[in-house]
């Protein structure tokens, strides 16, 4: 059973918008940080945006002002609203959820990835 289920990827023209969603299974307890990472062909996976349970956000410089991350703590779901998309945003986008344990240890969970393709 997938523990992180992503949706919302697709093909869009430059300047367009997409919204990604990622729902975490209820079996993952004590999720603190959730976020999105991406990996373009031939490149390493990179951080796009993260959000804590308290809704503190962090963005990569390349997406600031264009992307907005949000979450619903009741639904254990994180969203990524992507506006003014550029061809360089083309990548597989991965959802991440970080579970925190009592003594501060953490475990990372990853989604299967969703393709975002931005045409010029």
């Amino acid at each position: 059973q997938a523990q992180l289920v992503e949706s919302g990827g697709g093909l869009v023209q430059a300047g367009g918008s997409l919204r990604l969603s990622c729902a975490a299974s209820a079996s993952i307890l004590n999720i603190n940080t959730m976020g999105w990472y991406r990996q373009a062909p031939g490149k390493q996976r990179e951080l796009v945006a993260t959000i804590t349970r308290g809704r503190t956000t962090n963005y990569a410089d390349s997406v600031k002002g264009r992307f907005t991350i949000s979450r619903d703590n009741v639904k254990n779901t994180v969203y990524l609203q992507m506006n003014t998309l550029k061809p360089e945003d083309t990548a597989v986008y991965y959802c991440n959820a970080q579970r925190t344990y009592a003594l501060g240890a953490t475990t990372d969970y990853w989604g299967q990835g969703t393709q975002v393709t931005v045409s010029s």
Side-chain angles (χ1 to χ4, degrees):
Q1 179 183 359
Q3 293 186 297
L4 293 178
V5 179
E6 301 157 347
S7 61
L11 172 65
V12 66
Q13 289 189 331
S17 299
L18 283 174
R19 187 184 192 224
L20 306 182
S21 299
C22 172
S25 167
S27 64
I28 305 176
L29 304 177
N30 300 323
I31 296 175
N32 182 15
T33 302
M34 299 187 77
W36 293 92
Y37 293 71
R38 67 187 181 187
Q39 187 167 18
K43 295 187 177 181
Q44 290 188 331
R45 189 174 298 189
E46 64 177 4
L47 178 146
V48 177
T50 61
I51 183 168
T52 67
R53 176 168 285 274
R55 294 185 172 82
T56 297
T57 59
N58 180 47
Y59 293 94
D61 287 342
S62 59
V63 306
K64 283 180 181 176
R66 300 188 298 122
F67 291 10
T68 302
I69 190 169
S70 61
R71 67 187 282 176
D72 183 327
N73 288 333
V74 174
K75 296 181 179 179
N76 259 3
T77 300
V78 64
Y79 307 95
L80 186 68
Q81 178 65 43
M82 304 184 292
N83 298 328
T84 319
L85 282 159
K86 304 175 181 180
E88 51 264 44
D89 294 318
T90 296
V92 178
Y93 283 69
Y94 295 92
C95 175
N96 171 269
Q98 190 173 81
R99 177 176 178 176
T100 302
Y101 296 87
L103 297 181
T106 59
T107 296
D108 283 295
Y109 296 84
W110 293 93
Q112 78 283 2
T114 185
Q115 178 70 46
V116 171
T117 303
V118 184
S119 63
S120 57

